[in-house]
């Protein structure tokens, strides 16, 4: 079967990194070659951009933030995601184009069509095969984030706009599933696995 490109989305502290790891283990145990990665980041340049984007010491305009994220995404898609898929690996990625629509669009108020166009430019149209949104009430997400990077320092109203955005956007994303991020981690994993076409089970 063709390798799958799977994206986990959700607010800060919704358990994306834990699920990425658990999912990678579960797939590897079935003999599937996987690559786990994240945005912003995933390449040496992308990780440096990530530091700038998240640092509370570098305030920036929303459009600057978007353009840096889009630049990091282009590097990531071209240098990491596409090559891995071409090698036959499944790619498991924390955050992708939907994050920009939810955070820079619904959160920061930038134009959604502009973000869609820039996403298209950055990805060359590479869409995920599956998207899982780990949904969390904003108050829970906010409580769970201890360190405050530039996004986590935004406060509850920002988290609320992002969540409303995610839930609105996800309805038009093919093969996207909303999963209750308050469930225990094994339950979340089971739900994700239940939606995937897995060989040999
Ligand atoms: P992430 O590492 O996923 O943070 P966490 O593990 O806390 O969920 O993402 C870092 C931040 O980057 C997160 O607060 C959201 C932000 N972000 C955007 O605003 N737009 C984007 O397109 C992406 C990929 C991330």
């Amino acid at each position: 079967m063709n390798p799958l490109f799977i994206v986990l989305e959700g607010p800060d502290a919704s358990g994306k990194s834990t699920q990425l790891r658990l999912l990678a283990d579960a797939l590897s145990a079935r003999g599937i070659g996987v690559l786990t990665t994240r945005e912003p980041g995933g390449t040496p340049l992308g990780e440096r951009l990530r530091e700038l984007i998240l640092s509370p010491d570098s305030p920036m305009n929303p459009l600057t933030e978007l353009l840096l994220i889009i630049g990091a995404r282009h590097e990531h898609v071209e240098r990491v995601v596409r090559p891995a898929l071409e090698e036959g690996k499944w790619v498991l990625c924390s955050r992708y184009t939907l994050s920009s629509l939810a955070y820079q669009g619904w959160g920061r108020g930038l134009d959604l069509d502009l973000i869609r166009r820039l996403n298209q430019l950055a990805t060359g149209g590479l869409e995920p095969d599956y998207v899982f949104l780990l949904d969390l009430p904003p108050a829970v997400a906010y409580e769970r984030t201890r360190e405050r990077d530039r996004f986590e320092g935004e406060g509850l109203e920002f988290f609320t706009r992002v969540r409303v955005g995610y839930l609105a956007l996800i309805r038009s994303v093919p093969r996207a599933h909303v999963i209750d991020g308050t469930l225990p981690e094994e339950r979340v994993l089971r739900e994700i696995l239940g939606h995937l076409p897995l060989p040999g089970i």
Side-chain angles (χ1 to χ4, degrees):
M1 90 183 267
N2 284 339
L4 297 181
F5 178 22
I6 299 169
V7 169
L8 301 188
E9 288 282 358
D12 305 77
S14 55
K16 295 182 302 300
S17 348
T18 306
Q19 289 303 322
L20 213 63
R21 187 169 39 77
L22 296 176
L23 185 56
D25 290 347
L27 296 176
S28 303
R30 288 169 169 81
I32 296 169
V34 298
L35 175 101
T36 60
T37 185
R38 66 173 180 182
E39 290 203 356
T43 64
L45 175 61
E47 291 294 327
R48 289 172 73 183
L49 289 173
R50 177 191 175 90
E51 269 178 43
L52 289 174
I53 294 162
L54 299 189
S55 168
D57 304 332
S58 51
M60 61 183 79
N61 290 331
L63 182 59
T64 311
E65 178 182 282
L66 173 65
L67 293 172
L68 291 178
I69 289 169
I70 291 293
R73 175 162 303 136
H74 183 60
E75 288 298 303
H76 185 226
V77 168
E78 293 306 321
R79 292 178 190 269
V80 175
V81 179
R82 268 190 213 283
L85 291 169
E86 277 160 16
E87 268 177 39
K89 285 193 186 134
W90 289 29
V91 176
L92 316 181
C93 184
S94 174
R95 298 191 184 279
Y96 193 53
T97 49
L98 208 58
S99 277
S100 305
L101 290 162
Y103 282 77
Q104 280 63 52
W106 286 74
R108 302 276 194 229
L110 291 179
D111 182 62
L112 291 173
D113 277 333
L114 170 72
I115 301 172
R116 284 197 182 94
R117 290 206 302 278
L118 290 171
N119 273 337
Q120 169 69 29
L121 194 67
T123 64
L126 181 69
E127 299 285 350
D129 295 296
Y130 287 86
V131 178
F132 297 100
L133 171 60
L134 308 186
D135 180 46
L136 215 52
V140 178
Y142 190 68
E143 274 304 304
R144 280 192 194 175
T145 51
R146 272 184 214 91
E147 286 169 34
R148 298 257 178 252
D149 63 29
R150 248 173 15 83
F151 292 92
E152 292 157 354
E154 278 296 333
L156 199 52
E157 270 180 32
F158 181 81
F159 274 60
T160 306
R161 286 200 299 281
V162 169
R163 195 229 195 162
V164 171
Y166 262 136
L167 292 173
L169 293 159
I170 200 92
R171 287 194 262 134
S172 50
V173 178
R175 294 172 308 283
H177 303 277
V178 181
I179 296 186
D180 179 353
T182 64
L183 292 172
E185 55 192 40
E186 325 77 66
R187 276 283 309 279
V188 174
L189 177 67
R190 221 181 315 139
E191 293 215 7
I192 293 176
L193 288 171
H195 289 293
L196 294 175
L198 292 175
I201 55 165

